[in-house]
Amino acid sequence: MDVSVRGRHLDVSEKFREHAPSKLARMAKYDPRLSSIDVQVVREQNARATDPIRVELTCKGSGPVVRAEASAGDKFGAFDAAFSRLEERLRRAHDKRLSKSHHRT
């Protein structure tokens, strides 16, 4: 699985670039068809924004595209929130596929 980490309006540290792929490697157990995950870290330019950092996670594969995003005061907090949302969505899709394939009529 290919993980790309990009930043908009800020520099992404090496620590974050190592942290993201190590955590996202667990996503393969929910959907082995995933080919790539894009991580985009965005700093909001609005001075009134309460959470200036937003992390967007996009999973691409042979199935549907799955996205999650979250905002927080720092990169790691926003990433963890977006990661938990993405994990929940992939888990639900995985369970839905299993229940449909094991359903008898």
Side-chain angles (χ1 to χ4, degrees):
M1 180 182 347
D2 181 36
V3 177
S4 65
V5 179
R6 294 180 290 150
R8 285 184 51 205
H9 307 295
L10 81 155
D11 293 328
V12 180
S13 65
E14 284 299 319
K15 184 177 178 183
F16 187 82
R17 288 183 189 273
E18 294 170 2
H19 176 73
S22 66
K23 204 157 181 184
L24 290 170
R26 297 189 303 188
M27 293 297 157
K29 70 179 179 182
Y30 294 116
D31 195 355
R33 301 175 299 169
L34 291 178
S35 61
S36 68
I37 299 179
D38 296 330
V39 180
Q40 187 170 14
V41 183
V42 180
R43 173 174 288 164
E44 296 293 333
Q45 297 296 326
N46 185 359
R48 293 183 182 177
T50 57
D51 295 328
I53 304 294
R54 185 177 77 229
V55 173
E56 302 172 1
L57 303 174
T58 306
C59 294
K60 298 176 185 174
S62 61
V65 174
V66 180
R67 288 191 74 243
E69 69 178 60
S71 298
D74 65 330
K75 293 180 279 204
F76 290 98
F79 177 79
D80 289 339
F83 176 78
S84 64
R85 289 179 185 170
L86 181 69
E87 189 174 33
E88 179 67 22
R89 288 181 181 167
L90 287 175
R91 186 190 59 77
R92 283 185 181 178
H94 177 72
D95 291 346
K96 189 182 286 186
R97 279 194 309 272
L98 284 180
S99 68
K100 283 185 179 181
S101 66
H102 293 290
H103 182 66
R104 290 187 191 184
T105 56

